[in-house]
Amino acid sequence: DAGITQSPRYKITETGRQVTLMCHQTWSHSYMFWYRQDLGHGLRLIYYSAAADITDKGEVPDGYVVSRSKTENFPLTLESATRSQTSVYFCASSPGLNEQYFGPGTRLTVT
Amino acid sequence: GENVEQHPSTLSVQEGDSAVIKCTYSDSASNYFPWYKQELGKGPQLIIDIRSNVGEKKDQRIAVTLNKTAKHFSLHITETQPEDSAVYFCAAPRANQAGTALIFGKGTTLSVSS
């Protein structure tokens, strides 16, 4: 099906573990984004990518790593998870001109 | 950089009433203002947007107005229905960043009671 998907939808991990959240879009949009959503903070931008092999930091990048070897995929890696990274993570894509389309989210709990 | 303030944080209305959510922004160069609706357990969904060359845009029961002088824009929902209950986010372009990065308001939880 066309659209944007995220996996896993739910993840529980332990402090210090590495975890990767996957994002895949079928629209061939140039831009992709990772946000985290926390109560009281709304949506905060972690990283974004303007095209394959082009990424840049957002508002809260510390502790996260991204890559984009293919246009359709934009994985987000937490290299050493901390409890403060417990959150709901949303991936989004955009064809340009600002409109963004969001995935269903991944709820991550770090114990 | 850009800063977006959204009010109110919660809004309760009776079915059939109107609801208005307001956002202010700081960067006078901003030229795109979307509104997103987020239902429980789902990702935000774009419901309407406006660019700075127009003052108002309507789509059935929802409308967005823009006041560039005062640097604020508002979402208007008329004849509210229970299915309008959700969290609504406004956004504006993130200043000094290429492409389409947005900065979001903190959200308004709208509750429509029947």
Side-chain angles (χ1 to χ4, degrees):
Chain A
D1 290 351
I4 183 166
T5 56
Q6 294 183 236
S7 62
R9 293 295 314 279
Y10 303 91
K11 177 73 176 178
I12 300 174
T13 192
E14 295 178 341
T15 300
R17 298 263 187 160
Q18 182 181 83
V19 59
T20 297
L21 309 183
M22 304 301 293
C23 179
H24 176 78
Q25 53 105 355
T26 61
W27 293 306
S28 298
H29 286 170
S30 297
Y31 295 92
M32 295 188 75
F33 307 84
W34 275 107
Y35 294 90
R36 60 178 292 173
Q37 185 174 36
D38 306 286
L39 279 175
H41 292 281
L43 290 156
R44 292 182 292 175
L45 182 65
I46 305 171
Y47 268 96
Y48 70 102
S49 170
D53 297 322
I54 300 175
T55 62
D56 205 350
K57 296 178 180 179
E59 186 182 357
V60 287
D62 293 344
Y64 303 96
V65 174
V66 293
S67 62
R68 193 159 177 217
S69 57
K70 293 184 178 181
T71 300
E72 61 267 30
N73 297 324
F74 192 36
L76 176 73
T77 297
L78 288 67
E79 294 190 301
S80 179
T82 65
R83 290 194 181 89
S84 65
Q85 293 177 310
T86 292
S87 186
V88 181
Y89 290 86
F90 288 100
C91 177
S93 71
S94 172
L97 299 178
N98 301 115
E99 310 96 276
Q100 293 188 19
Y101 301 92
F102 284 79
T106 294
R107 183 174 294 276
L108 176 67
T109 301
V110 182
T111 62
Chain B
E2 178 66 281
N3 184 45
V4 177
E5 298 285 339
Q6 182 172 347
H7 299 281
S9 57
T10 60
L11 180 59
S12 296
V13 299
Q14 291 286 322
E15 183 177 1
D17 288 349
S18 295
V20 180
I21 304 169
K22 182 176 177 178
C23 285
T24 59
Y25 61 97
S26 59
D27 186 355
S28 57
S30 290
N31 59 1
Y32 175 73
F33 306 95
W35 284 92
Y36 286 82
K37 175 183 181 182
Q38 185 177 26
E39 297 176 341
L40 197 62
K42 296 184 178 180
Q45 180 183 12
L46 178 67
I47 56 172
I48 195 167
D49 56 13
I50 192 169
R51 297 192 184 274
S52 58
N53 57 343
V54 297
E56 183 176 8
K57 183 177 179 180
K58 290 183 178 180
D59 183 3
Q60 300 182 345
R61 294 186 299 107
I62 61 173
V64 56
T65 58
L66 172 64
N67 184 326
K68 290 172 58 180
T69 302
K71 289 191 282 188
H72 67 72
F73 58 109
S74 299
L75 177 69
H76 304 256
I77 306 174
T78 59
E79 301 174 21
T80 54
Q81 301 169 3
E83 51 265 38
D84 294 328
S85 295
V87 180
Y88 292 82
F89 293 95
C90 63
R94 187 174 291 274
N96 300 320
Q97 286 195 343
T100 67
L102 296 171
I103 182 165
F104 287 81
K106 288 185 167 49
T108 296
T109 301
L110 174 64
S111 299
V112 181
S113 54
S114 56

